[in-house]
Amino acid sequence: IPLPTFAQHDRVLIRYKKTKKYFPGRIDRFWADGNFKISWDDGDWEDRWKTAVDMQPLVADRGQASYEVGDFVLAVYRFGPWVPARIDKVNVDCTYGISWVDRRTKDRTKHASELNPWQGPRPKVPKVVKVQLTPEEEKRKHYEALLKQHGVLSGPFKRLAADANRRLDDL
């Protein structure tokens, strides 16, 4: 998939440094070698030299866009940065269920105005390796979670926590 093309004064979403967070800005200048000088909407003067790989076009009429399950997008995370995500569900109320590419677990329902279509090569999705626990490990993990939930593993209950850990070792 080819990279999108850009022109001077285009509104874009720009990756900040080497993170997976994108913020809005504008292209000030561009050179034939593929380098761009950008200005951030918030006025920041850091990290202003970019290449096309670091930018996504900012679609003006985002609220009118429609997406399908499996589409990659940039989505606003909690009123802050734009983060790569994938559409998991199309809801009847014109919202979308998404999964964040970096595995965030909160703020997963978005209106079309909070989404921007992804253009160019797909973002890299980290592989999840699920570790199979033995029944004893499952039991220990559940018991530790209960102790932590009730505050036994910290504070004035450290001696009780040590006794609980000894009992866990005996399982």
Side-chain angles (χ1 to χ4, degrees):
I1 298 174
L3 290 171
T5 57
F6 300 103
Q8 192 167 355
H9 304 298
D10 279 358
R11 300 266 308 130
V12 289
L13 289 170
I14 311 152
R15 184 167 57 169
Y16 184 69
K17 296 190 176 177
K18 294 296 176 191
T19 67
K20 290 188 175 157
K21 298 176 182 177
Y22 288 72
F23 293 92
R26 180 178 310 277
I27 295 175
D28 289 337
R29 289 188 71 184
F30 64 95
W31 284 263
D33 66 356
N35 286 310
F36 297 85
K37 183 177 179 186
I38 58 97
S39 59
W40 300 101
D41 282 0
D42 66 1
D44 193 353
W45 284 87
E46 266 188 74
D47 193 32
R48 295 187 58 205
W49 295 96
K50 298 290 178 181
T51 62
V53 174
D54 297 321
M55 298 186 294
Q56 289 287 313
L58 184 59
V59 176
D61 56 351
R62 290 186 306 276
Q64 306 302 319
S66 64
Y67 302 96
E68 296 177 8
V69 172
D71 287 351
F72 280 93
V73 295
L74 282 170
V76 176
Y77 183 73
R78 295 189 163 198
F79 312 108
W82 293 74
V83 179
R86 182 177 46 222
I87 303 292
D88 289 335
K89 184 178 178 185
V90 179
N91 301 320
V92 294
D93 62 352
C94 298
T95 61
Y96 297 89
I98 63 164
S99 59
W100 300 103
V101 170
D102 63 2
R103 308 277 188 237
R104 296 169 192 228
T105 57
K106 297 182 179 175
D107 195 22
R108 295 186 53 200
T109 301
K110 298 291 177 188
H111 184 269
S113 63
E114 299 174 290
L115 303 172
N116 195 72
W118 185 271
Q119 297 181 18
R122 298 173 106 190
K124 293 180 182 176
V125 179
K127 292 183 180 178
V128 176
V129 178
K130 184 150 182 143
V131 177
Q132 186 68 35
L133 299 176
T134 65
E136 293 80 22
E137 291 171 327
E138 285 280 347
K139 196 173 191 180
R140 181 183 179 100
K141 186 176 178 182
H142 176 70
Y143 193 58
E144 284 176 344
L146 286 173
L147 292 172
K148 190 173 185 178
Q149 178 182 356
H150 296 289
V152 177
L153 293 178
S154 62
F157 302 105
K158 286 185 180 178
R159 193 168 72 173
L160 288 172
D163 292 341
N165 280 330
R166 264 187 255 113
R167 278 190 237 125
L168 284 172
D169 291 336
D170 293 339
L171 291 177

